[in-house]
Amino acid sequence: EILLCQSYAKNFGLYGERVGALSAVCASKEEKAALESQLKAIIRPMYSSPPIHGARIVKEVLGDAALRAQWTGECKEMADRIQEMRALLREGLAEAGST
């Protein structure tokens, strides 16, 4: 049993669009029905018609092999840059005597 929440806001630059997914693995059909009922009760008052264009953008990018490869490459570039910046920060702090 697990709940997994994933947001595409940052990775796709879709801030404020409420684009993401909630996945659940339940032990039984009864547990699934109970979870689904609770989620519907929680979600319904929050919004009745969330924006769809952000979800369509994500679907388009992830559904096209070339766009997905480009997006994956860009995410890797950003992750590499973040790691490089962290390493430089750590070096700078160490040189300044911080522990």
Side-chain angles (χ1 to χ4, degrees):
E1 299 157 335
I2 188 170
L3 284 177
L4 174 67
C5 183
Q6 185 174 10
S7 171
Y8 295 113
K10 200 170 202 175
N11 290 342
F12 280 90
L14 297 169
Y15 303 99
E17 300 301 326
R18 298 182 287 184
V19 178
L22 175 65
S23 302
V25 176
C26 300
S28 67
K29 288 181 181 181
E30 294 77 21
E31 187 176 281
K32 177 197 172 282
L35 176 62
E36 187 174 22
S37 172
Q38 290 300 308
L39 288 175
K40 285 180 180 178
I42 293 168
I43 291 169
R44 178 55 92 185
M46 290 182 186
Y47 60 90
S48 56
S49 298
I52 189 134
H53 57 277
R56 287 184 176 155
I57 291 169
V58 172
K59 181 180 178 184
E60 181 74 22
V61 171
L62 295 181
D64 180 278
L67 290 175
R68 185 182 189 120
Q70 179 182 346
W71 172 73
T72 302
E74 290 172 359
C75 285
K76 172 130 179 48
E77 286 176 21
M78 289 306 298
D80 291 346
R81 177 161 162 50
I82 290 168
Q83 287 180 334
E84 179 184 351
M85 297 303 292
R86 287 178 178 166
L88 290 171
L89 174 61
R90 183 179 178 137
E91 288 174 21
L93 291 172
E95 288 173 9
S98 180
T99 55

mmCIF file of all heavy atoms in Angstrom, residues 1-8 20-26 35 39:
data_model
loop_
_atom_site.group_PDB
_atom_site.id
_atom_site.type_symbol
_atom_site.label_atom_id
_atom_site.label_comp_id
_atom_site.label_asym_id
_atom_site.label_seq_id
_atom_site.Cartn_x
_atom_site.Cartn_y
_atom_site.Cartn_z
ATOM 1 N N GLU A 1 0.839 -1.174 0.000
ATOM 2 C CA GLU A 1 0.000 0.000 0.000
ATOM 3 C C GLU A 1 0.884 1.236 0.000
ATOM 4 O O GLU A 1 1.814 1.343 0.791
ATOM 5 C CB GLU A 1 -0.901 -0.001 1.235
ATOM 6 C CG GLU A 1 -1.811 -1.209 1.259
ATOM 7 C CD GLU A 1 -2.282 -1.538 2.669
ATOM 8 O OE1 GLU A 1 -1.598 -1.189 3.630
ATOM 9 O OE2 GLU A 1 -3.345 -2.140 2.764
ATOM 10 N N ILE A 2 0.568 2.116 -0.942
ATOM 11 C CA ILE A 2 1.362 3.341 -1.053
ATOM 12 C C ILE A 2 0.550 4.416 -1.767
ATOM 13 O O ILE A 2 -0.294 4.114 -2.609
ATOM 14 C CB ILE A 2 2.689 3.070 -1.805
ATOM 15 C CG1 ILE A 2 3.596 4.291 -1.751
ATOM 16 C CG2 ILE A 2 2.430 2.658 -3.231
ATOM 17 C CD1 ILE A 2 4.999 4.023 -2.246
ATOM 18 N N LEU A 3 0.797 5.649 -1.389
ATOM 19 C CA LEU A 3 0.293 6.810 -2.115
ATOM 20 C C LEU A 3 1.504 7.546 -2.660
ATOM 21 O O LEU A 3 2.475 7.771 -1.935
ATOM 22 C CB LEU A 3 -0.483 7.755 -1.200
ATOM 23 C CG LEU A 3 -1.879 7.341 -0.786
ATOM 24 C CD1 LEU A 3 -2.460 8.361 0.189
ATOM 25 C CD2 LEU A 3 -2.790 7.210 -1.987
ATOM 26 N N LEU A 4 1.454 7.922 -3.921
ATOM 27 C CA LEU A 4 2.552 8.642 -4.552
ATOM 28 C C LEU A 4 1.985 9.889 -5.201
ATOM 29 O O LEU A 4 1.080 9.814 -6.030
ATOM 30 C CB LEU A 4 3.232 7.758 -5.604
ATOM 31 C CG LEU A 4 4.297 8.427 -6.450
ATOM 32 C CD1 LEU A 4 5.506 8.797 -5.599
ATOM 33 C CD2 LEU A 4 4.708 7.532 -7.593
ATOM 34 N N CYS A 5 2.528 11.026 -4.817
ATOM 35 C CA CYS A 5 2.085 12.301 -5.369
ATOM 36 C C CYS A 5 3.216 12.872 -6.211
ATOM 37 O O CYS A 5 4.362 12.898 -5.773
ATOM 38 C CB CYS A 5 1.722 13.253 -4.229
ATOM 39 S SG CYS A 5 1.094 14.822 -4.818
ATOM 40 N N GLN A 6 2.888 13.316 -7.421
ATOM 41 C CA GLN A 6 3.891 13.864 -8.321
ATOM 42 C C GLN A 6 3.380 15.172 -8.894
ATOM 43 O O GLN A 6 2.255 15.249 -9.381
ATOM 44 C CB GLN A 6 4.170 12.864 -9.440
ATOM 45 C CG GLN A 6 5.272 13.276 -10.363
ATOM 46 C CD GLN A 6 5.601 12.182 -11.364
ATOM 47 O OE1 GLN A 6 4.900 11.202 -11.490
ATOM 48 N NE2 GLN A 6 6.679 12.370 -12.089
ATOM 49 N N SER A 7 4.211 16.198 -8.836
ATOM 50 C CA SER A 7 3.861 17.498 -9.390
ATOM 51 C C SER A 7 4.704 17.758 -10.626
ATOM 52 O O SER A 7 5.894 17.458 -10.651
ATOM 53 C CB SER A 7 4.124 18.604 -8.364
ATOM 54 O OG SER A 7 3.980 19.869 -8.981
ATOM 55 N N TYR A 8 4.069 18.309 -11.648
ATOM 56 C CA TYR A 8 4.796 18.686 -12.856
ATOM 57 C C TYR A 8 5.020 20.194 -12.923
ATOM 58 O O TYR A 8 5.540 20.694 -13.903
ATOM 59 C CB TYR A 8 4.027 18.231 -14.097
ATOM 60 C CG TYR A 8 3.914 16.735 -14.210
ATOM 61 C CD1 TYR A 8 2.691 16.106 -14.083
ATOM 62 C CD2 TYR A 8 5.040 15.953 -14.422
ATOM 63 C CE1 TYR A 8 2.580 14.729 -14.183
ATOM 64 C CE2 TYR A 8 4.938 14.579 -14.519
ATOM 65 C CZ TYR A 8 3.708 13.973 -14.402
ATOM 66 O OH TYR A 8 3.601 12.621 -14.487
ATOM 67 N N GLY A 20 -0.444 17.557 -12.006
ATOM 68 C CA GLY A 20 0.251 16.510 -11.281
ATOM 69 C C GLY A 20 -0.573 15.242 -11.272
ATOM 70 O O GLY A 20 -1.557 15.115 -11.998
ATOM 71 N N ALA A 21 -0.132 14.321 -10.461
ATOM 72 C CA ALA A 21 -0.822 13.038 -10.385
ATOM 73 C C ALA A 21 -0.740 12.491 -8.968
ATOM 74 O O ALA A 21 0.231 12.741 -8.250
ATOM 75 C CB ALA A 21 -0.191 12.042 -11.349
ATOM 76 N N LEU A 22 -1.761 11.767 -8.591
ATOM 77 C CA LEU A 22 -1.772 11.025 -7.336
ATOM 78 C C LEU A 22 -2.042 9.576 -7.696
ATOM 79 O O LEU A 22 -3.064 9.267 -8.318
ATOM 80 C CB LEU A 22 -2.851 11.531 -6.377
ATOM 81 C CG LEU A 22 -3.012 10.734 -5.084
ATOM 82 C CD1 LEU A 22 -1.748 10.843 -4.226
ATOM 83 C CD2 LEU A 22 -4.219 11.190 -4.308
ATOM 84 N N SER A 23 -1.108 8.715 -7.368
ATOM 85 C CA SER A 23 -1.260 7.285 -7.647
ATOM 86 C C SER A 23 -1.387 6.543 -6.333
ATOM 87 O O SER A 23 -0.752 6.904 -5.348
ATOM 88 C CB SER A 23 -0.043 6.760 -8.412
ATOM 89 O OG SER A 23 0.123 7.471 -9.617
ATOM 90 N N ALA A 24 -2.197 5.506 -6.336
ATOM 91 C CA ALA A 24 -2.411 4.716 -5.122
ATOM 92 C C ALA A 24 -2.363 3.232 -5.451
ATOM 93 O O ALA A 24 -2.863 2.808 -6.487
ATOM 94 C CB ALA A 24 -3.756 5.060 -4.499
ATOM 95 N N VAL A 25 -1.745 2.484 -4.557
ATOM 96 C CA VAL A 25 -1.775 1.024 -4.627
ATOM 97 C C VAL A 25 -2.487 0.566 -3.368
ATOM 98 O O VAL A 25 -2.047 0.865 -2.259
ATOM 99 C CB VAL A 25 -0.354 0.425 -4.696
ATOM 100 C CG1 VAL A 25 -0.413 -1.093 -4.667
ATOM 101 C CG2 VAL A 25 0.370 0.916 -5.944
ATOM 102 N N CYS A 26 -3.597 -0.125 -3.554
ATOM 103 C CA CYS A 26 -4.419 -0.574 -2.424
ATOM 104 C C CYS A 26 -4.334 -2.092 -2.283
ATOM 105 O O CYS A 26 -4.092 -2.807 -3.249
ATOM 106 C CB CYS A 26 -5.865 -0.155 -2.637
ATOM 107 S SG CYS A 26 -6.083 1.631 -2.763
ATOM 108 N N LEU A 35 -10.837 4.551 -0.354
ATOM 109 C CA LEU A 35 -9.898 5.632 -0.662
ATOM 110 C C LEU A 35 -10.480 6.550 -1.720
ATOM 111 O O LEU A 35 -10.445 7.772 -1.589
ATOM 112 C CB LEU A 35 -8.553 5.058 -1.135
ATOM 113 C CG LEU A 35 -7.526 6.093 -1.579
ATOM 114 C CD1 LEU A 35 -7.149 7.012 -0.428
ATOM 115 C CD2 LEU A 35 -6.304 5.408 -2.162
ATOM 116 N N LEU A 39 -11.146 10.509 -1.309
ATOM 117 C CA LEU A 39 -10.493 11.476 -2.196
ATOM 118 C C LEU A 39 -11.512 12.354 -2.905
ATOM 119 O O LEU A 39 -11.324 13.565 -3.033
ATOM 120 C CB LEU A 39 -9.604 10.754 -3.219
ATOM 121 C CG LEU A 39 -8.321 10.148 -2.663
ATOM 122 C CD1 LEU A 39 -7.598 9.355 -3.740
ATOM 123 C CD2 LEU A 39 -7.407 11.204 -2.074
#
